[in-house]
């Protein structure tokens, strides 16, 4: 399998504090990779480095073929990013958001028009495309945010708690979009606080105190710790709580 994210001994220090401590892992093309950890575990710092937003203190990482330390701008051009907190501009219409993001990623007018029409048709947005994003339901916002993160056809997309605050049905629909993208060869790197979503990932890593404490498929991790759910695995590793 082609490696799209290759992380080796990646470390970030803030003074004497080690936020991310020599983490190492690889993520393949089309893989859904869950990146889990309690608040303060170091996963946000790690993700910011992998997105080219934060320079590592030591170690290396190659993302979409580019070194995050020396080619951070190329990394940004070849990844997609979606956050629970900020992805769309509420004071722009649906169509204006699509045009804005397409322009940011440097799409030609011809390609952007085709992409916009495809997104509007896929989600049946023709009648509401000129509505402000602030006026549409959260589920539509999520789907639109995901589509815009993919509009420039990146090799990898980083999803930072993308399903926070939505109902279970909408979450499941969103994961259908993730499966579709992965089937098309896009690598999915996702953080989540919902342990049932960890079960949907091909592989999962769990960070504790800046280090990767566990890495494997959900079934491998459940078998390793002799438990029945990823929530139990997380409680053991991140909380130090035995489920037995």
């Amino acid at each position: 399998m082609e490696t799209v994210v290759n992380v080796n001994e990646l470390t970030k220090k803030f003074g004497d504090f080690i936020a991310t401590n020599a983490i190492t892992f690889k993520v393949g093309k089309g893989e859904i990779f869950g990146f889990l950890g309690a608040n303060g575990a170091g996963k946000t710092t790690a993700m910011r480095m992998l997105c080219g937003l934060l320079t590592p203190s030591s170690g290396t990482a190659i993302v979409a073929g580019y070194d995050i330390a020396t080619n951070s701008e190329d990394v940004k051009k070849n990844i997609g990013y979606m956050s629970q907190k900020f992805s769309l501009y509420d004071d722009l219409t649906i169509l204006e958001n699509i045009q804005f993001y397409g322009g940011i990623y440097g799409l030609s007018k011809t390609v952007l028009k085709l992409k916009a029409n495809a997104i509007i048709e896929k989600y049946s947005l023709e009648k509401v495309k000129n509505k402000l994003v602030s006026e549409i339901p959260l589920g539509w916002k999520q789907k639109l945010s995901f589509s815009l993160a993919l509009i420039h056809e990146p090799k990898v997309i980083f999803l930072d708690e993308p399903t926070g605050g939505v109902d279970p049905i909408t979450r499941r629909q969103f994961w259908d979009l993730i499966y579709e993208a992965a089937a098309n060869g896009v690598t999915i790197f996702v953080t989540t606080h919902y342990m049932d979503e960890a079960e949907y990932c091909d592989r999962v890593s769990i960070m504790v105190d800046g280090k990767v404490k566990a890495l494997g498929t959900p079934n491998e991790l459940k078998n390793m710790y002799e438990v029945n759910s990823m929530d139990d695995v997380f409680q053991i590793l991140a909380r130090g709580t035995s489920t037995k």
Side-chain angles (χ1 to χ4, degrees), residues 36-38 171 192-201 204-206 208 214 217-223 225-244:
L36 311 182
R171 280 206 288 137
T192 178
H193 282 306
Y194 297 110
M195 288 303 106
D196 61 316
E197 291 187 345
E199 305 272 2
Y200 305 156
C201 298
V204 171
S205 72
I206 299 178
V208 180
T217 69
N219 282 338
E220 287 172 347
L221 296 181
K222 286 185 288 186
N223 290 336
Y225 291 96
E226 300 180 336
V227 293
N228 296 319
S229 71
M230 283 303 300
D231 185 61
D232 291 337
V233 174
F234 185 80
Q235 293 297 329
I236 292 170
L237 289 169
R239 307 297 186 192
T241 302
S242 174
T243 60
K244 297 182 179 180

Side-chain angles (χ1 to χ4, degrees), residues 13-242:
K13 298 180 180 179
F14 297 97
D16 294 330
F17 175 67
I18 304 176
T20 305
N21 192 351
I23 62 174
T24 297
F25 57 84
K26 295 180 180 180
V27 187
K29 180 179 180 180
E31 185 174 14
I32 302 173
F33 187 78
F35 198 58
L36 311 182
N39 291 335
K43 65 182 186 299
T44 299
T45 298
M47 181 175 279
R48 285 177 60 82
M49 285 191 285
L50 296 179
C51 290
L53 300 173
L54 199 60
T55 303
S57 301
S58 61
T60 61
I62 305 298
V63 176
Y66 297 97
D67 189 307
I68 63 169
T70 58
N71 299 103
S72 62
E73 292 305 311
D74 288 316
V75 170
K76 295 172 189 175
K77 293 176 184 177
N78 285 275
I79 67 170
Y81 178 80
M82 177 183 168
S83 168
Q84 171 197 351
K85 297 178 181 178
F86 176 79
S87 290
L88 300 173
Y89 288 93
D90 281 342
D91 55 349
L92 296 179
T93 67
I94 291 174
L95 184 57
E96 287 170 341
N97 267 280
I98 295 173
Q99 292 169 338
F100 175 78
Y101 276 91
I104 287 292
Y105 286 120
L107 301 184
S108 69
K109 290 183 178 180
T110 301
V111 171
L112 179 52
K113 185 177 181 179
L114 291 172
K115 293 278 188 178
N117 289 339
I119 291 171
I120 289 169
E121 181 180 351
K122 181 173 183 177
Y123 300 120
S124 302
L125 298 173
E126 183 62 41
K127 293 182 179 179
V128 297
K129 66 181 181 181
N130 292 315
K131 272 195 172 186
L132 294 177
V133 163
S134 60
E135 298 175 358
I136 66 175
L138 181 57
W140 279 7
K141 288 182 182 180
Q142 274 194 313
K143 295 171 185 177
L144 183 58
S145 295
F146 187 71
S147 293
L148 294 185
L150 290 170
I151 197 169
H152 58 305
E153 301 181 4
K155 293 182 178 180
V156 55
I157 181 170
F158 290 86
L159 306 175
D160 191 5
E161 299 179 22
T163 57
V166 299
D167 62 82
I169 294 176
T170 303
R171 280 206 288 137
R172 183 67 220 191
Q173 291 173 342
F174 186 81
W175 273 89
D176 287 339
L177 296 179
I178 290 177
Y179 289 144
E180 180 184 346
N184 289 328
V186 180
T187 299
I188 311 293
F189 194 101
V190 57
T191 70
T192 178
H193 282 306
Y194 297 110
M195 288 303 106
D196 61 316
E197 291 187 345
E199 305 272 2
Y200 305 156
C201 298
D202 296 316
R203 284 190 305 141
V204 171
S205 72
I206 299 178
M207 286 190 68
V208 180
D209 296 331
K211 297 181 179 181
V212 174
K213 286 294 186 181
L215 177 63
T217 69
N219 282 338
E220 287 172 347
L221 296 181
K222 286 185 288 186
N223 290 336
M224 183 183 302
Y225 291 96
E226 300 180 336
V227 293
N228 296 319
S229 71
M230 283 303 300
D231 185 61
D232 291 337
V233 174
F234 185 80
Q235 293 297 329
I236 292 170
L237 289 169
R239 307 297 186 192
T241 302
S242 174

